[in-house]
Amino acid sequence: MGGMQIRPFRPTDRDACYDVCVRTGLAGGDATGAYSDDSLTPDIFCGPYLELEPDLAFVIDDGERAVGYVLGAHDTADFVARYRAQWLPGFERRHPLRDDASADEREMLDLGYRPERMLTRDLEEYPAHLHIDLLPSAQGHGLGRALMTTLLEALTRRGIPGVHLEMDPANTGALRFYEKLGFTRLEAEEPDSLRMGLRLPAAP
């Protein structure tokens, strides 16, 4: 692990977290240049969590910067409502719909404009959801598992019964990682997507 440590997110970590999100945003690979604005991906999958649920954000600090993170929303339905009211107006200003956008970019923009896509039918069992991303330098040291454990324990202390995530099926390494943590496959509600869930123990 070297000098790497896991700690709560700080506002000064935001730029580094955005960088991690971009550099892992293409099925675990680098998404730099994939869209007309590199902030598009983190403005969907990172920024809203740092803004709306910073107490469920944890980072890997290598002594200089954050090189990985896990982000969570404890109540997805509540998160969607707050995303639409508090995050979406700014997102729309930063990422307007453009006629010349590529098909891939339009698909990504649709995710940002449509937070209700997160309102899946199994939220009673798995009300929380999460995102985790690590730069290659932070991988292979057990830090991903430690990050997940940190978030899962925080959700358990809140009495959350279950958590789910959505991932790109092409990211086979991530699939193996989640399966080792006990996640099982759930019914997918988006095309070309894989959903997984984990039931959490009752709070002590």
Side-chain angles (χ1 to χ4, degrees):
M1 247 185 235
M4 297 189 189
Q5 63 168 332
I6 293 171
R7 60 167 174 78
F9 165 78
R10 301 168 185 158
T12 52
D13 297 320
R14 183 182 182 279
D15 288 348
C17 288
Y18 263 53
D19 179 62
V20 171
C21 188
V22 173
R23 290 168 61 189
T24 59
L26 203 60
D30 195 342
T32 301
Y35 308 109
S36 60
D37 185 340
D38 279 342
S39 72
L40 175 58
T41 300
D43 264 352
I44 298 170
F45 299 112
C46 181
Y49 300 86
L50 302 181
E51 177 76 19
L52 301 175
E53 297 226 25
D55 54 337
L56 286 179
F58 303 92
V59 304
I60 300 170
D61 186 332
D62 70 354
E64 296 183 0
R65 52 160 285 176
V67 293
Y69 59 71
V70 66
L71 313 169
H74 77 284
D75 181 328
T76 297
D78 175 71
F79 179 81
V80 166
R82 290 188 294 134
Y83 181 110
R84 176 158 289 283
Q86 301 173 41
W87 184 261
L88 187 56
F91 181 88
E92 291 174 332
R93 289 192 298 271
R94 292 188 298 276
H95 306 287
L97 296 172
R98 300 181 0 260
D99 292 338
D100 62 343
S102 68
D104 285 345
E105 184 154 339
R106 286 196 299 270
E107 185 176 326
M108 185 63 75
L109 285 165
D110 179 65
L111 297 179
Y113 273 78
R114 192 169 52 90
E116 287 77 17
R117 65 190 163 79
M118 293 184 265
L119 298 176
T120 54
R121 62 176 59 93
D122 48 22
L123 289 183
E124 186 171 343
E125 289 183 276
Y126 304 97
H129 72 271
L130 65 86
H131 296 283
I132 180 171
D133 292 300
L134 283 70
L135 292 181
S137 63
Q139 297 174 14
H141 307 290
L143 292 163
R145 175 180 286 272
L147 261 183
M148 290 287 285
T149 298
T150 301
L151 176 63
L152 296 176
E153 288 177 347
L155 292 172
T156 297
R157 287 193 296 271
R158 293 188 180 205
I160 306 301
V163 59
H164 71 274
L165 58 89
E166 194 162 342
M167 60 168 289
D168 186 333
N171 193 343
T172 55
L175 175 59
R176 290 192 298 270
F177 171 73
Y178 296 131
E179 288 177 336
K180 287 179 181 178
L181 288 170
F183 281 79
T184 57
R185 297 189 187 212
L186 303 175
E187 182 178 354
E189 302 193 17
E190 292 282 337
D192 303 319
S193 181
L194 175 61
R195 296 183 67 250
M196 306 191 78
L198 178 70
R199 298 287 291 174
L200 298 173

